[in-house]
Amino acid sequence: MDRLDHLEHLDKALVDELAQVTRETVRDELRRQTRGQRRRAMLYAASGAVALYAGAALALALGLALAAGLPDWAAALITAVILGVAAYLLRGAARPAPRRTAEDAARGEQAHGGGAPLGPPGGFAGPTGYPPVPPVAPGGAGAATGAPGAGTPAPGTPGAPDVPPRPDDIDPESPHHRA
């Protein structure tokens, strides 16, 4: 019995030492990564500041070149318009594209409004703008996949038998509409 008590003390000491070593190792690694990220952030900030000054020098050069043949106020105005257009285009490039919601897709509208969608992105679209729909469920007419209703045409289509659906063909989650 004394021998087990001695082992229990060793286990506790070993777990404590292991936890301390792990904490120190993780702390050192986080410090190292943080130091590298801080350095990288400072370099990006310095790069941005230098790019800002380079853009200002370029705008000044453009204004001075235009001022050689135009009045000073016209050169400054043209330079300002060019910079404004560039800022507008950059802002538009930075803005993410608006997402289509499920409601927009159900109504057949695009994110910018109006019109039916042209077809699936990267997929085949027929003359209607939508991909063709197979006449039977996936699996084919003679496929025995074991899935409820697999291989049988949808009710109301030509060639469909006039039999009521089987209980395992009914989806309890689908909405029930009565005419």
Side-chain angles (χ1 to χ4, degrees):
M1 195 72 172
D2 290 330
R3 186 173 180 184
L4 292 176
D5 290 337
H6 179 66
L7 288 177
E8 232 175 72
H9 174 70
L10 285 176
D11 283 348
K12 184 174 180 349
L14 186 60
V15 167
D16 289 343
E17 186 177 342
L18 182 62
Q20 181 181 358
V21 167
T22 304
R23 275 193 300 269
E24 289 174 3
T25 304
V26 168
R27 189 177 302 130
D28 290 343
E29 180 65 20
L30 287 175
R31 274 191 196 126
R32 187 184 64 76
Q33 287 180 358
T34 303
R35 198 174 303 126
Q37 289 174 349
R38 190 178 313 135
R39 181 176 182 274
R40 195 173 315 129
M42 292 291 288
L43 289 173
Y44 274 122
S47 170
V50 170
L52 181 67
Y53 281 110
L58 182 66
L60 179 64
L62 176 67
L64 290 174
L66 289 173
L70 296 172
D72 292 343
W73 65 268
L77 185 63
I78 291 172
T79 304
V81 168
I82 290 172
L83 289 174
V85 168
Y88 180 78
L89 293 175
L90 288 172
R91 183 187 64 127
R95 184 181 298 170
R99 293 186 177 186
R100 282 184 64 176
T101 63
E103 296 161 358
D104 293 338
R107 288 191 306 255
E109 295 177 356
Q110 293 180 338
H112 295 291
L118 298 176
F124 170 77
T128 62
Y130 293 100
V133 179
V136 294
T145 61
T152 59
T157 59
D162 290 332
V163 293
R166 298 182 305 213
D168 56 349
D169 284 344
I170 299 173
D171 182 14
E173 298 298 320
S174 67
H176 303 289
H177 300 285
R178 296 185 187 253

